[in-house]
Amino acid sequence: MTQQQQLHPMLNIAIKAARAAGAIINRGSQDLDILKITHKGPNDFVSEVDQAAENAIIETLLTAYPGHGILAEESGREHGAKNSEFVWIIDPLDGTTNFLHGFPVYAVSIALAHRGVVQQAVVYDPTRNDLFYASRGRGAFLNDRRLRVSKRIRLSDSLIGTGFPFRKGDSFQRYVKMFETVMQACAGVRRPGAAALDLCYVAAGWYDGFFETGLNPWDMAAGSLMITEAGGLVGNFTGEADYLYQRELVAGNPKVYAQLVTLLAPYTRVIKADEPGAEHAPAAAPASDIVADALAGAIAQADAPPPADVPRERKPVRIRKPVAPADGEAPAAPPPARRPARTPRG
């Protein structure tokens, strides 16, 4: 029996929905010149392909699970049950700008959350027919290959993914400072333009880490489960797990994640003063305190025991050699012998 046949029933439905959307996207990519495009905002586009793909996903999901809720990029929560414990989080076409220019980096992203915790995830790359999928507690896969995050331990050797701010209200000055900080500390930075795929690339070990601001839940939900199921870590810039609605995210293998958090903690929204309404926000903790707390939390996560099927790295044992006494000095006294443990009397 193949892995595909052992999938959770809800994951199978998500895969069916993602492939249906991917077929619509591939057909639309053949006629980019005649697509109807709407501007949601500056540099933020939606095409009839986005809407058709989302409709196909929602129809597939609600046909199978009519009592579930929907949170979708183009239609929000207007479909599905409003108070369900199960909510499908959908991005029908992550990377719309790439798609509209014929740049082949975009994907369908579908996640299922139960009581706010993502349980199932699918990210489908229709240009390569690559299917990333994960179930909580059962691992992450690309097609039928198990995914594992990379094993690099030094940020200076690492390839880091990111996304540039592009919407009105995004802080370009803040991002440029972040970019400069990370770029000088790592081996390279990449920005393909589809966050859902970027997160899958971390899970696959192609990136060692990733960071971005301004993200929405549908950008992050599926990819974040891929990473944790592949042995990586995901959090906000201070290393906490409430990233899904915080509009900031950092991810990576455990060692690189810890180092990224220490670099990015000063740029968290907690201490950001350049956004409208920031003057009404509660006073932020000093940057030094935030960095210290972030470092402690990230190190604790990075040092947590790995999954059971991942062998722990053996650390070399250092054996101290006796130091020869200098001329004229008496030899060092041997350490006191240990007293034998007492045997209890009968």
Side-chain angles (χ1 to χ4, degrees), residues 30 37 39 47 51 86 91 135 148 156 174-175 193 224 288 290 293 326 341-342:
Q30 306 302 313
I37 303 169
H39 286 71
S47 73
Q51 295 164 335
F86 291 91
D91 191 341
S135 291
R148 284 293 179 198
S156 59
R174 171 171 168 256
Y175 181 81
S224 64
S288 58
I290 292 176
D293 292 344
R342 293 185 177 182

Side-chain angles (χ1 to χ4, degrees), residues 149-171:
V149 295
S150 73
K151 297 179 180 179
R152 289 187 180 85
I153 61 175
R154 288 189 295 270
L155 183 57
S156 59
D157 296 332
S158 298
L159 185 64
I160 306 299
T162 190
F164 300 154
F166 63 92
R167 296 183 181 93
K168 185 178 180 180
D170 289 340
S171 174

Side-chain angles (χ1 to χ4, degrees), residues 135-139 225 229:
S135 291
R136 182 167 293 275
R138 300 184 66 178
L225 183 62
E229 287 298 316

Side-chain angles (χ1 to χ4, degrees), residues 298-313:
I299 289 175
Q301 290 191 67
D303 289 340
D309 60 341
V310 179
R312 289 187 64 90
E313 179 183 355

Side-chain angles (χ1 to χ4, degrees), residues 62-299:
L62 291 185
T63 297
Y65 302 105
H68 286 191
I70 299 289
L71 173 60
E73 178 174 13
E74 308 307 337
S75 58
R77 293 182 179 271
E78 66 184 57
H79 298 285
K82 299 298 184 287
N83 299 313
S84 175
E85 293 182 346
F86 291 91
V87 177
W88 293 94
I89 306 173
I90 302 164
D91 191 341
L93 179 51
D94 184 34
T96 299
T97 302
N98 286 350
F99 169 76
L100 294 176
H101 287 78
F103 186 68
V105 180
Y106 42 83
V108 181
S109 178
I110 303 174
L112 174 64
H114 179 246
R115 296 183 179 179
V117 179
V118 178
Q119 301 291 335
Q120 312 292 338
V122 174
V123 175
Y124 179 54
D125 179 347
T127 68
R128 296 167 183 79
N129 194 28
D130 276 345
L131 184 73
F132 298 87
Y133 55 93
S135 291
R136 182 167 293 275
R138 300 184 66 178
F141 296 82
L142 167 55
N143 302 322
D144 284 327
R145 180 173 66 83
R146 181 72 180 263
L147 296 181
R148 284 293 179 198
V149 295
S150 73
K151 297 179 180 179
R152 289 187 180 85
I153 61 175
R154 288 189 295 270
L155 183 57
S156 59
D157 296 332
S158 298
L159 185 64
I160 306 299
T162 190
F164 300 154
F166 63 92
R167 296 183 181 93
K168 185 178 180 180
D170 289 340
S171 174
F172 291 92
Q173 293 78 13
R174 171 171 168 256
Y175 181 81
V176 168
K177 293 177 182 176
M178 278 192 292
F179 184 81
E180 181 181 10
T181 299
V182 175
M183 185 173 63
Q184 294 184 68
C186 70
V189 177
R190 300 291 181 267
R191 196 274 187 182
L197 280 177
D198 285 325
L199 295 175
C200 291
Y201 294 172
V202 175
W206 304 339
Y207 289 158
D208 304 293
F210 176 81
F211 73 98
E212 188 170 353
T213 63
L215 293 174
N216 291 300
W218 46 79
D219 299 313
M220 302 182 274
S224 64
L225 183 62
M226 304 286 178
I227 292 173
T228 55
E229 287 298 316
L233 298 174
V234 184
N236 62 18
F237 283 6
T238 55
E240 297 163 311
D242 62 343
Y243 56 87
L244 201 57
Y245 294 92
Q246 295 297 314
R247 296 183 64 79
E248 65 180 34
L249 177 140
V250 58
N253 74 42
K255 297 298 184 184
V256 171
Y257 172 86
Q259 294 166 76
L260 281 175
V261 166
T262 62
L263 292 180
L264 295 171
Y267 302 100
T268 183
R269 291 176 62 87
V270 174
I271 62 171
K272 186 167 63 170
D274 53 2
E275 282 194 344
E279 65 274 12
H280 302 298
S288 58
D289 293 347
I290 292 176
V291 173
D293 292 344
L295 177 59
I299 289 175

Side-chain angles (χ1 to χ4, degrees), residues 332-340:
R338 293 186 178 181
R339 299 177 64 184

